[in-house]
Amino acid sequence: MPAGDSAAQEASRQLALAAAHDRAAADARASASRYGVASATEQRTAAALAPLAAAGYHLLADRQWPGSRRAQVDMVVVGPGGVFIVDTKAWADVTIADDRIHRGQEDVTDDLMTLADLAYRTEGELAEVGLAPGEVHAVAVLAGRSGVDERVGPVHVVGDRDVLRQIARRGSRLGTRQVDAVLARCLEWFTHVAGPAPVSTTLPEPVLPAPRGPVLLTAGEPLLTVDEPLLSEAEVQRAMLEGLMAEPVEEWMAFLHPTQARIVRRSYNGPARIRGAAGTGKTVVALHRAAYLARTREGKVLVTTYIRTLPDVLRQLLTRLAPDVVDRVEFAGVHETAKRILDERGVTHRIDGRQIASAWTAAWGKVAGGSVIDTDRHEQEYWHDEVSYVIKGRGLTRWEQYADLPRLGRRHRLGPQQRRVVWLLYEAYEKELRDRGVHDFADQISLAEAELRREPPTGRYTAVVVDEAQDLTCVMIRMLHAFVGDAPDGLTLVGDGQQTIYPGGFTLAEAGVSVAGRGSVLDVNYRNTREILQFASLLVKDDEFADIEGTTARGDRPTQVLRSGPKPVYVRCAGEADRQRRMVLRVHEVVAEVGTNFGDVGVLSLSRRGVEAATEALKKAGVPVVNLEKYDGVPVNRVKVGTIKRAKGLEFKQVLVVDLVASWITEKAEELDDVDRERRDFRLRELYVAMTRARDGLWVASI
């Protein structure tokens, strides 16, 4: 068939589909008698949900419970907000406490858990057409109740006067084509009680209420009468918009787009890697994958990352999106994990920041001061990173290993003399640590990794998911790999090499890990607007970095950016006082917008000094503030202020970058030597990370 004919037929099919949608909405009330409801309580729920038909929802009633000949599903709702499996309960004297529900003295929690099990089975079925696991919801509706908004495990319990608003507030999470695909599969999965629907039936008309009138609960408790006004179509649309944009940003952070569902549930026959550019949803994919693995395996799943404060945030996000498995997922920073290993095995180790600093200062004075590496071109911090990340982070213990080592990610080349001095500095530093009876954080990882090699763990974790994997060292990867080895779906590494902001690059081959043929790439940006991403990407358009798979890369670029918005604001300030004044005004300006609260705003700085200055200025202006080091993922109506490093893995509706120097973004790479080029690369990557944390708006101030 000619391609033109095929395209014409597809266009005709789409037009027919749209016409069917229109007929379904226009004829809905006239067709109500064709569908009916099984009971007065179900009729009540159908009446409450009726206005959703005008917002692109499909209400499927009288459906067979999959796998059962007798049990029926009250209603399945499919639309822009996802899939909702609704069961109406005519229960009187209901109490909910401690994650249990009682009907009088009877514990009826198990009744709701069967609904949760059906939702989970449906989740797996719909993943085949790309629906994200978090978009299938079990909803128990209490007939004759209002003002009910509770959870019993994964089941949302609401009153019949509350169910419409709760569904509408999910917003528009699925596109029209996605709704059509999910609906088609639901019609196969949930067959009509009278038998399979005709093959030609692709768009069922919504179930709508029968004539109004008072009804009673079978237990004798009077229901609210259906004569009370339902939400109008305009109110439904408004509730959807409010639900999408006005929720705290933490709700958005837990949102998984349906096209990512298959990656969440994909099975790999060994260690795997999921990568993607900023804004493509890597962290939420990691969370949903952890939940999926926890549901389908025995044992615990470890979710870990380099950033110390991020695990607490991830735990809170998982509590919202998968409360049924949160107790089977362990969240811990990589250093916290190492410390636990050593404590459990009785390995003595002592971390003391002052003694560590003293050991470094003494070693520098004895070996490096006045040497070939003591120049104006590098501060001591550069050489401290060389020792901590390049030598200790890669597990080097002999001079021969370092002498010819490719220093991935470090542009400044070292000659033989310089390398020899660096190695002597490392040895002197190690001796000073031993003399003081302390270890540094790199030692903590090495000791734990050695313990796991000496006595491999047995069954502690069934899987390990690593977020921001590009920030880890080689020894950290080896330690985590030791928990699960090459078991199928055992180790999942999630990250983006473009966002590497620490030196000491390595390859997975060095760590004894292979992900060959077991990789997935996320290539759709769901977070940023086109304008924000274009602005931020200018910083790294020429950046090259050493990828952990052993290649030199320029960074992934999303194939699609789904959202657009206002252009980022860049301001040049007269001085620090002027910048702080403008920052405060900007915070008040964005919070005045509908759907944005103080808690949706992130103020980010490269340095701790910048964090302190911004915090002081905001507090002086009466703006509530929380430091990112104390933020645990619980929604709080305070502006979040912190370093860019602490913001990794997070996102905000509005981002303010507050300690930029104008020359940093104007200097040309080709005019810099390798020392300044390396410094520039890491700084611009860090700023790129900061800017891509922004969902709706970006403001950057320089001096």
Side-chain angles (χ1 to χ4, degrees):
M1 178 184 295
D5 291 347
S6 177
Q9 289 183 0
E10 174 61 17
S12 178
R13 192 189 75 82
Q14 292 295 333
L15 288 172
L17 199 62
H21 270 289
D22 292 339
R23 288 195 302 273
D27 298 340
R29 292 190 179 277
S31 305
S33 60
R34 293 175 52 194
Y35 293 93
V37 283
S39 70
T41 55
E42 294 173 29
Q43 182 179 7
R44 174 72 187 179
T45 302
L49 294 174
L52 287 173
Y57 281 83
H58 306 271
L59 284 64
L60 313 180
D62 298 328
R63 296 285 150 174
Q64 200 77 37
W65 191 289
S68 172
R69 292 184 177 181
R70 296 185 177 181
Q72 296 180 21
V73 179
D74 285 359
M75 189 171 298
V76 180
V77 181
V78 182
V83 176
F84 303 83
I85 302 174
V86 180
D87 189 24
T88 304
K89 301 294 187 183
W91 289 347
D93 193 21
V94 172
T95 57
I96 300 174
D98 299 325
D99 213 29
R100 310 290 296 182
I101 182 168
H102 289 79
R103 181 185 183 187
Q105 298 300 314
E106 180 186 4
D107 188 333
V108 290
T109 305
D110 287 346
D111 286 10
L112 296 194
M113 291 306 102
T114 59
L115 187 66
D117 180 65
L118 175 58
Y120 179 63
R121 290 169 54 207
T122 301
E123 178 181 286
E125 184 72 19
L126 297 181
E128 296 303 314
V129 294
L131 186 68
E135 303 306 326
V136 179
H137 312 276
V139 182
V141 177
L142 299 182
R145 301 301 181 90
S146 63
V148 179
D149 184 7
E150 301 286 347
R151 279 195 175 274
V152 178
V155 180
H156 198 172
V157 182
V158 298
D160 61 9
R161 297 295 298 175
D162 312 305
V163 62
L164 173 61
R165 190 174 298 278
Q166 290 298 331
I167 291 178
R169 285 182 66 83
R170 294 291 298 174
S172 297
R173 304 168 80 88
L174 310 185
T176 302
R177 290 186 179 181
Q178 293 162 337
V179 170
D180 287 344
V182 170
L183 176 62
R185 184 58 65 93
C186 280
L187 287 169
E188 298 172 356
W189 179 240
F190 296 102
T191 59
H192 198 278
V193 292
V199 175
S200 61
T201 302
T202 57
L203 289 171
E205 294 166 329
V207 175
L208 292 171
R212 297 185 174 191
V215 291
L216 298 176
L217 283 172
T218 55
E221 179 179 316
L223 284 165
L224 297 171
T225 68
V226 291
D227 288 326
E228 296 182 9
L230 299 172
L231 292 184
S232 68
E233 295 174 6
E235 287 174 313
V236 171
Q237 295 286 0
R238 187 159 52 250
M240 291 176 64
L241 181 60
E242 291 172 355
L244 181 65
M245 303 305 294
E247 288 293 324
V249 73
E250 286 82 4
E251 294 299 326
W252 176 271
M253 288 164 62
F255 167 55
L256 182 74
H257 196 275
T259 57
Q260 299 166 329
R262 290 184 178 178
I263 292 178
V264 168
R265 288 173 167 263
R266 184 168 296 171
S267 183
Y268 304 93
N269 62 357
R273 183 187 184 194
I274 299 172
R275 74 172 204 267
T280 54
K282 296 180 297 298
T283 294
V284 76
V285 164
L287 275 177
H288 278 274
R289 183 160 178 80
Y292 167 69
L293 293 172
R295 288 189 181 110
T296 55
R297 293 166 168 243
E298 296 295 328
K300 281 202 167 188
V301 175
L302 172 66
V303 175
T304 188
T305 186
Y306 183 79
I307 304 154
R308 177 177 56 82
T309 52
L310 187 54
D312 288 339
V313 177
L314 298 180
R315 183 183 297 107
Q316 287 296 330
L317 293 179
L318 190 68
T319 299
R320 281 193 289 277
L321 65 90
D324 55 312
V325 296
V326 70
D327 291 338
R328 297 190 52 226
V329 179
E330 187 173 300
F331 294 88
V334 67
H335 285 100
E336 180 185 352
T337 300
K339 182 179 184 302
R340 186 178 58 246
I341 294 168
L342 298 176
D343 288 344
E344 289 176 351
R345 299 196 176 188
V347 177
T348 302
H349 64 290
R350 178 181 168 220
I351 303 289
D352 185 317
R354 290 186 178 181
Q355 290 295 329
I356 293 170
S358 175
W360 173 261
T361 300
W364 179 267
K366 291 178 180 179
V367 173
S371 71
V372 293
I373 67 171
D374 185 12
T375 68
D376 293 337
R377 304 299 296 137
H378 290 108
E379 299 173 350
Q380 283 192 40
E381 183 180 358
Y382 182 89
W383 303 112
H384 189 278
D385 287 345
E386 183 80 10
V387 170
S388 297
Y389 291 100
V390 178
I391 295 178
K392 302 182 77 168
R394 291 173 77 166
L396 310 183
T397 57
R398 303 189 314 276
W399 156 248
E400 292 76 16
Q401 294 173 308
Y402 182 62
D404 299 314
L405 180 78
R407 299 164 59 253
L408 301 176
R410 308 226 86 177
R411 289 185 178 275
H412 179 51
R413 298 178 181 178
L414 300 183
Q417 277 189 303
Q418 291 173 305
R419 288 202 185 216
R420 173 57 74 176
V421 173
V422 172
W423 188 259
L424 293 174
L425 175 61
Y426 156 69
E427 292 181 325
Y429 175 53
E430 290 292 277
K431 181 178 184 303
E432 294 292 338
L433 290 173
R434 290 194 300 271
D435 290 347
R436 288 165 171 77
V438 297
H439 299 90
D440 65 10
F441 287 103
D443 293 331
Q444 187 181 57
I445 300 295
S446 296
L447 288 170
E449 190 269 336
E451 267 300 302
L452 295 180
R453 273 190 288 109
R454 182 187 66 79
E455 183 182 336
T458 55
R460 182 182 187 101
Y461 300 117
T462 187
V464 176
V465 178
V466 185
D467 193 28
E468 303 287 351
Q470 75 280 352
D471 289 338
L472 271 60
T473 65
C474 182
V475 181
M476 290 174 183
I477 294 292
R478 289 209 300 255
M479 179 189 77
L480 297 171
H481 183 225
F483 281 122
V484 290
D486 292 333
D489 298 320
L491 180 65
T492 304
L493 303 174
V494 182
D496 172 24
Q498 184 78 76
Q499 298 182 58
T500 301
I501 59 176
Y502 297 99
F506 65 96
T507 66
L508 291 177
E510 285 182 66
V513 176
S514 172
V515 295
R518 295 185 294 274
S520 297
V521 180
L522 300 170
D523 60 1
V524 179
N525 184 300
Y526 302 102
R527 177 198 303 150
N528 312 122
T529 63
R530 295 182 186 88
E531 292 78 6
I532 289 172
L533 188 61
Q534 288 171 358
F535 186 88
S537 296
L538 290 174
L539 300 177
V540 294
K541 61 183 178 66
D542 298 321
D543 185 29
E544 291 185 347
F545 58 89
D547 187 66
I548 58 176
E549 290 187 55
T551 61
T552 298
R554 280 189 172 270
D556 295 311
R557 292 290 179 266
T559 58
Q560 295 182 66
V561 182
L562 301 181
R563 302 172 58 242
S564 62
K567 292 182 178 180
V569 177
Y570 173 62
V571 297
R572 291 285 299 271
C573 304
E576 190 59 42
D578 182 41
R579 177 156 58 185
Q580 300 299 337
R581 179 185 63 81
R582 292 186 183 215
M583 174 195 67
V584 172
L585 289 175
R586 175 65 177 181
V587 168
H588 284 297
E589 178 183 317
V590 297
V591 170
E593 297 176 1
V594 175
T596 302
N597 298 312
F598 285 123
D600 300 319
V601 179
V603 175
L604 306 181
S605 167
L606 282 161
S607 67
R608 288 182 177 272
R609 183 186 304 172
V611 171
E612 292 168 359
T615 300
E616 182 180 354
L618 289 167
K619 285 184 174 179
K620 188 176 180 180
V623 176
V625 171
V626 61
N627 192 295
L628 283 180
E629 294 189 1
K630 297 180 179 179
Y631 169 61
D632 62 1
V634 176
V636 57
N637 195 24
R638 295 173 177 270
V639 172
K640 302 177 179 85
V641 184
T643 62
I644 297 169
K645 289 183 172 67
R646 289 282 179 241
K648 296 198 78 174
L650 305 180
E651 52 190 281
F652 313 88
K653 292 183 183 180
Q654 298 284 339
V655 165
L656 287 70
V657 181
V658 295
D659 65 346
L660 185 71
V661 176
S663 61
W664 293 347
I665 57 177
T666 57
E667 57 189 2
K668 297 180 180 180
E670 60 271 17
E671 297 176 358
L672 303 175
D673 61 21
D674 55 2
V675 175
D676 287 333
R677 178 72 183 274
E678 181 178 331
R679 186 179 293 118
R680 173 185 179 272
D681 287 347
F682 280 107
R683 183 190 294 131
L684 292 184
R685 283 181 206 158
E686 201 163 347
L687 289 170
Y688 171 75
V689 168
M691 294 178 188
T692 54
R693 300 309 92 196
R695 191 190 80 177
D696 301 332
L698 173 64
W699 184 86
V700 180
S702 71
I703 296 176

